Structure formats: structure tokens, C-alpha cells
Amino acid sequence: MAPKTYRRRWDRKNLDHPNLAIYFPLGETPSACTCVDNTCQRFVDLTEQTPGGAKAIATEPFEPGAHCVLKIHNPIDRTWSYFPAEVKWSVPSPSQTNRHISGFAFRAQVPIDWPPQEKADAKRHPTSEDYVFFRNINILKRLDREAICPLLNALVFRQIAAGERFVTQGDAGDSCFIIQKGTCAIVIEKNGDSHAIAVRKKGDIIGEMSLLTGEPRSAHVEAGTDMDVWEISKDDFNTITADYPGLRNFLTEIVAERFATSRMTAERQIGKYLITDIIGRGGFSIVYKGLHRRLNMPVAIKMLNHDMAMDKEFVSNFQKEAITIARFNHDNIIKVYDVEALYQTMFIVMENIDGCTLRQIMNDQGKLPPEQVIHYLQQVCAGLHYAHQHDIIHQDIKPGNLFILPDGRLKILDFGLACPCGAENMMTGTPYYMAPEQVECLPVDERSDIYALGLTAFEMLAGHRPFDEEDPHEAMELHVEHDIPDPAQHIPDLPEGLRKLILKCCARDIAQRYRDIPALLNDLTPLAQTLGISKLPPISQTKRMMTVFLIYEDRHQLELNELMEAFSSEIEHMGITLKAADFSDI
């Protein structure tokens, strides 16, 4: 708290733009500058300013009474001005961990001509001139305001001569680099041969993948020209990415960009799987095509956005539920094979299926006829009932998460936001399809999925959502404060039974909805029979055969027999038969 003897003479105003200032500490007298090598200057986040002073947030406290010079940036005309100042107070930030708020009183109300003796030392931090470069590269454009100064202050300058190798394949990944000037080559060494696979230039980042995986460097990096680079240590990098969601989202973009390349590198290997192509992007994830590297089996691989995957509470809950979801075996639920943690995010490995989402069908056809809607609703209900019986709530039922196979069968996708029935809700889901209790962060149960299913049914029939509000915050407020409109007003010739079903699914009061899926089916099944919609026949199970050749020496026969017996016992409960045959010597 500011001392009581310190009174403001001007009303302070919050700054609309992310103003920055550079803090230069002075010696015992205001004219003595102790910061001649740029190693002790610090960028600070200027949040308020008046003719007589300023308030700033920094990663460290400043000593009250200390003299300094603030070099303040004007984001309008992009100029810098020097103000001699004195630290009046400094306190820990009440809302940000390891951040301190400091108040400064200017000793002159107009800028002064005071350029410090800035030297381009090898270990210097960024200057105001360097900031011109940083503000034009993607990493700063993606950052939250609060993360800009900590990142700039963590960077250390390095000059690299042409031909110098500054990253070595196999070494520990203890830092990454941002290129300010020059170019370099990415070189992979394999079987004694070197292969140049890429060139990096101004604004590119090098070495970040090793920081994300914790694994050794996957390639050499050699300077093609003289280079100026900025280095950040692994510890600083991890601290900043953990604290600031903006940088986490940028990590998602970096990893996605690496996976999008056409070249085959180790960076595209996710455990036993290899990413081959991108399928699509969503609000929480990116989905890729992939292959099981040994079995050559096609799979789909979903990468969660880093902002979610770096949330410790979310990851803890997700890993617990992933075990349950991976055991699901239902015709209307996408099969999950595996979960991998890598690149500081989570990858969900699923079955690869052909078809398209319900959203794509709706985009092509517009309104869907009641018979087709009921056909899909029956299948969603079957899948949801199975999940609910296993105490799992989906939490994100919507057209984009319902996948239609070429034969008209439906599979529910994306159990990545699933949670146990009755669990506390952290407002997860898509705003346009969230039940009122989700918006208000109340416990969720089967009826939360039923609400979203009712909204989806309305949209399939009408061609638009009940609340056709584009702003997500406005949409969430509408779900809490208003009943959905009567679907009959938007859908001509809507069967009365289907109208009542949708309204009951979407009741704002959770107690007025169907209590569970069987209760919903009690109304849906007779309606389907009235419209002549037959129940889907069971899916025929195709038998497949896999051949594996084991080439071994006689001395391993007994040990191999024991292994095969154990393997046969493990797969018997899956209905798989193991047959072995003895071949002649090869």
C-alpha cells in the first residue's frame, strides 16, 4: 500500500494501449547512471500515467526512494521519451503471482534529453531499438499484455558467426532462440550422413520443440550467415508459458506448424504414431490423420490446445476420465485407442473413420426433414445412454461433434471435455450449446447433455440455433435468462410430438427436463414408429486376420513359448484366436 504521506496531485488514467517503459536504475545521485551495459535495465508494463507520475507492473520490486529514469513508449506515434523519476512505493500484485506494482513520481513533468550509454554487449537484454523488431514478429503479437515484459526481460543477446554450429543434435534442449538477423540451416545427421532439411530466417524460432518434449535436440543448427539471435533458457521459457495463456496458444501454433510440414522428421512422431496430415481445427483442439508406425494402421490424432493441456486441474481430470473413455465399446461412440502426453500437451489417438460431421451436412442441406433428425437423435441417445451408464457426461454435444458415416450411422466425437456425473463444472463446452447450469458453473449431469441435444435438434430442423446470437457471452446469457422460442414458430409442419420433445429437452429449469436418456426415448421411440423410422440393424462384425512372423534361434524356444501362452491368455477375453504354425528353417 502507498504511504499515507504520499498524495496524488493528478487523477491517474488507465492506459488503453499496452504501454511499455524501460526502467534504468541510477546511482546515489540522480545524474549518475549505473546501467551502462544494458544488463540491469528492465522492461515494465506501464498501466497508468499522469503528468506527475506513473504506475507499473514488474517481475521484481523496486526499492522505495530509489532514483531512476523511465524510458516511456508512446504506442500512438511509436516514440520513446525519458522521464527522471523516484520510486515512491512498491507492493506485491494481489492478482498476479510473482508480480509487483510500483508507483513512480516524475522529477520533471516534461521529457528530458538523457540517452544512457547503451552498449551492444554479448549478454545484453533488449533495448528500445530491439523492441521495433519484436513487436513485428508473431510471438509478441500473440502474447497477452502481461506477458510481454517478462518475455523481453528473459531474453539474452548472442552473436553467431557464419558457419558456426550453435545447436548440436543429441544435446539437451536447455534453451531456444529467436532470430533477429541472418539465416541458418537445420541439419539432420543419420547413418554418418548430414541432410539439410530446412532454413530458418529473421523472426523464426529455433529449438523450441526440445523444450516442449524434454528430449535431446533432433537436429544440428548451423549459421549460414552472421547472425543476431535472442536466447531464452528452458527454465524462463517454462515459467512464462505456465503463467500466460497467450504464450500457451502460441505454442499450439508452433507445434501445429511443425506438424503441417510435408517433410518427415522425428518431430511428427507421437509415441507409437506418426502424423501424416491435418484433418481440421476446433475451439479446443487440432485433429490429424496418423499411422501406427509398426502396424501401419490408420488413426486420427487429436492435439489439445496448450492452454487446456497446461491447466493442471484439467489434465488431472482428463487423464482419469481418459482411462474410462478408452474402454468404451459402443457403435455410436468414436473408439479411443491411446492417450499420449508430449510437447507439453495431450494427444488423443482414435479410430480413423470416413464421412463428415453433422455440421457439414447441415451446411450443405440447410434444414433437415423430421425423419432424418429423429434417425440421428436415436443414435445420439444410444451413445449418450452408454456413456451416462458409465457415469460420464459429454458436456459438448453439438453438430460439430456428431460424425455421420457414409451409411448414415452416427458416432459421437470429442469426449475430451467429459466429466463424471455430478462433478463441479468449470464452464467447459461451446457457449452456443451450453446448458444454464454449465454457464453458471453448477454441477452437471445427464440433463446437461439432453439440453444440448435439444438445441441441436432445433437447429437441424430450423436451419439455425434457437438463439441465433453470434456473440458467445450474449448467447450464454440468453440460455440462463430466457426460454428457447417455440420451435413450431420457426419450423412449418413440425410434428407436435417432436415440438414437445425439444421444449422439454431445453427447459431452463433442469428439474423440468427429461431426467435421463431412457425417459427421453420413451417419447422419441413412439414418435419414430409413427413416422415409420425403423431401428437400425446391428453392425455386422467383420473378421480380420493378422500375420506375424517371428524369426528366432532354437535357444529362445522355451522362453518364446511362455510369452505366446501369456499373450494368448490376454487376448482370449477379446474373442481373438491365436494360431501358431511351425515353418521350416529359413
Side-chain angles (χ1 to χ4, degrees):
M1 176 179 280
K4 291 183 179 179
T5 55
Y6 174 59
R7 292 188 175 181
R8 292 181 183 169
R9 295 164 54 192
W10 293 274
D11 290 332
R12 288 190 176 170
K13 183 175 79 170
N14 289 329
L15 299 174
D16 295 329
H17 300 279
N19 287 21
L20 301 179
I22 303 177
Y23 172 90
F24 292 94
L26 299 181
E28 295 182 359
T29 62
S31 61
C33 178
T34 62
C35 186
V36 296
D37 62 358
N38 295 103
T39 60
C40 55
Q41 70 179 47
R42 287 291 182 269
F43 279 86
V44 296
D45 183 9
L46 209 63
T47 59
E48 296 180 11
Q49 185 179 348
T50 72
K55 187 170 77 172
I57 299 176
T59 52
E60 65 281 316
F62 297 120
E63 186 68 28
H67 291 112
C68 63
V69 169
L70 290 179
K71 187 176 184 181
I72 296 177
H73 180 246
N74 184 330
I76 305 300
D77 58 16
R78 296 186 174 180
T79 58
W80 295 81
S81 303
Y82 294 98
F83 289 86
E86 178 184 350
V87 181
K88 304 301 290 187
W89 54 270
S90 188
V91 296
S93 169
S95 59
Q96 294 175 281
T97 306
N98 299 323
R99 298 293 177 266
H100 298 266
I101 305 173
S102 298
F104 298 87
F106 294 154
R107 290 182 287 108
Q109 294 180 27
V110 293
I112 62 172
D113 184 15
W114 185 84
Q117 301 173 16
E118 297 179 313
K119 293 182 180 179
D121 287 318
K123 294 294 184 182
R124 71 179 175 88
H125 293 289
T127 66
S128 56
E129 287 73 19
D130 297 315
Y131 178 67
V132 175
F133 158 71
F134 283 110
R135 75 177 178 221
N136 290 315
I137 64 174
N138 282 336
I139 189 168
L140 234 64
K141 291 178 180 178
R142 299 292 191 274
L143 287 189
D144 299 325
R145 167 178 176 161
E146 295 82 2
I148 293 175
C149 292
L151 177 65
L152 291 174
N153 291 333
L155 295 169
V156 177
F157 180 76
R158 278 188 59 180
Q159 287 186 315
I160 300 169
E164 179 182 345
R165 176 179 292 174
F166 61 101
V167 171
T168 302
Q169 184 175 332
D171 283 358
D174 55 3
S175 64
C176 69
F177 307 87
I178 302 173
I179 303 174
Q180 184 171 5
K181 186 182 77 172
T183 62
C184 59
I186 311 297
V187 179
I188 287 182
E189 190 172 315
K190 187 175 181 180
N191 299 326
D193 296 326
S194 296
H195 307 274
I197 61 171
V199 173
R200 297 283 183 261
K201 59 186 184 305
K202 179 178 178 179
D204 287 339
I205 301 178
I206 301 168
E208 78 290 343
M209 298 300 273
S210 288
L211 298 193
L212 294 176
T213 62
E215 297 177 352
R217 304 285 196 190
S218 60
H220 303 304
V221 183
E222 299 171 352
T225 65
D226 289 342
M227 299 182 67
D228 290 348
V229 302
W230 294 94
E231 183 174 11
I232 182 171
S233 71
K234 179 178 181 178
D235 289 343
D236 286 337
F237 182 85
N238 288 340
T239 297
I240 295 172
T241 53
D243 287 346
Y244 297 105
L247 190 53
R248 297 181 198 173
N249 293 333
F250 184 65
L251 295 183
T252 300
E253 294 181 20
I254 291 175
V255 176
E257 181 182 349
R258 295 290 187 268
F259 289 164
T261 179
S262 60
R263 57 189 172 85
M264 291 292 181
T265 71
E267 292 172 350
R268 299 174 66 191
Q269 294 178 8
I270 309 299
K272 302 182 288 290
Y273 308 93
L274 180 69
I275 284 177
T276 60
D277 200 1
I278 187 169
I279 296 176
R281 291 174 178 261
F284 302 103
S285 60
I286 302 174
V287 183
Y288 299 92
K289 288 183 180 178
L291 281 175
H292 190 295
R293 289 189 291 150
R294 291 193 175 183
L295 303 180
N296 201 35
M297 178 180 72
V299 294
I301 303 174
K302 174 175 292 187
M303 182 182 80
L304 295 185
N305 287 355
H306 284 75
D307 189 28
M308 297 180 67
M310 295 177 72
D311 183 319
K312 293 181 180 179
E313 183 176 357
F314 171 83
V315 170
S316 176
N317 292 334
F318 173 81
Q319 289 175 327
K320 292 176 185 176
E321 302 313 319
I323 296 172
T324 301
I325 296 166
R327 294 172 180 165
F328 279 7
N329 183 22
H330 192 276
D331 293 339
N332 297 118
I333 297 178
I334 191 83
K335 288 183 174 62
V336 175
Y337 297 138
D338 206 351
V339 176
E340 296 277 356
L342 198 61
Y343 301 117
Q344 292 191 21
T345 186
M346 305 291 293
F347 293 87
I348 308 166
V349 184
M350 306 169 292
E351 64 175 319
N352 184 55
I353 50 179
D354 293 324
C356 63
T357 66
L358 177 58
R359 168 62 62 207
Q360 292 169 301
I361 289 177
M362 292 165 60
N363 288 342
D364 291 340
Q365 296 183 217
K367 301 177 182 180
L368 304 185
E371 294 79 8
Q372 187 175 3
V373 171
I374 293 175
H375 176 70
Y376 292 151
L377 288 179
Q378 286 181 304
Q379 297 182 72
V380 180
C381 284
L384 285 179
H385 183 45
Y386 179 90
H388 294 170
Q389 285 181 311
H390 289 77
D391 199 34
I392 294 295
I393 308 303
H394 188 283
Q395 284 208 107
D396 199 24
I397 293 295
K398 60 182 181 180
N401 281 337
L402 303 176
F403 197 88
I404 312 301
L405 277 62
D407 63 359
R409 299 183 189 273
L410 178 148
K411 286 184 179 284
I412 303 173
L413 309 178
D414 204 352
F415 274 85
L417 299 179
C419 71
C421 181
E424 291 186 9
N425 172 46
M426 301 302 292
M427 200 186 283
T428 53
T430 302
Y432 309 110
Y433 302 91
M434 289 170 65
E437 61 272 15
Q438 285 179 280
V439 175
E440 296 181 310
C441 296
L442 299 173
V444 296
D445 62 21
E446 298 98 321
R447 294 168 292 182
S448 305
D449 283 346
I450 288 173
Y451 183 92
L453 183 58
L455 297 179
T456 301
F458 186 111
E459 186 175 0
M460 283 192 281
L461 292 161
H464 59 80
R465 297 188 298 269
F467 300 122
D468 206 16
E469 172 60 56
E470 291 301 321
D471 182 88
H473 299 289
E474 292 288 341
M476 288 190 291
E477 286 186 13
L478 287 169
H479 288 301
V480 172
E481 297 175 0
H482 298 276
D483 295 321
I484 69 165
D486 188 331
Q489 297 176 1
H490 298 262
I491 307 160
D493 303 321
L494 178 66
E496 180 63 17
L498 193 51
R499 168 186 170 272
K500 290 180 178 179
L501 183 143
I502 292 172
L503 289 173
K504 189 168 183 177
C505 285
C506 298
R508 272 192 299 158
D509 182 355
I510 192 171
Q512 300 301 314
R513 294 177 215 154
Y514 292 104
R515 66 181 180 276
D516 53 27
I517 293 296
L520 170 56
L521 286 172
N522 283 340
D523 285 348
L524 184 63
T525 302
L527 184 60
Q529 293 171 346
T530 301
L531 296 175
I533 302 169
S534 59
K535 187 176 180 180
L536 288 172
I539 296 177
S540 60
Q541 299 297 324
T542 304
K543 294 287 186 180
R544 298 181 182 274
M545 184 176 70
M546 176 184 294
T547 304
V548 178
F549 293 98
L550 301 175
I551 302 172
Y552 58 94
E553 298 177 3
D554 286 340
R555 60 191 177 93
H556 294 140
Q557 182 69 63
L558 181 59
E559 184 179 8
L560 180 60
N561 288 345
E562 294 175 350
L563 289 173
M564 295 299 288
E565 287 178 9
F567 178 61
S568 179
S569 298
E570 285 290 323
I571 63 175
E572 268 186 5
H573 73 279
M574 300 170 60
I576 298 176
T577 303
L578 175 66
K579 293 185 178 293
D582 190 15
F583 291 89
S584 310
D585 293 342
I586 59 172

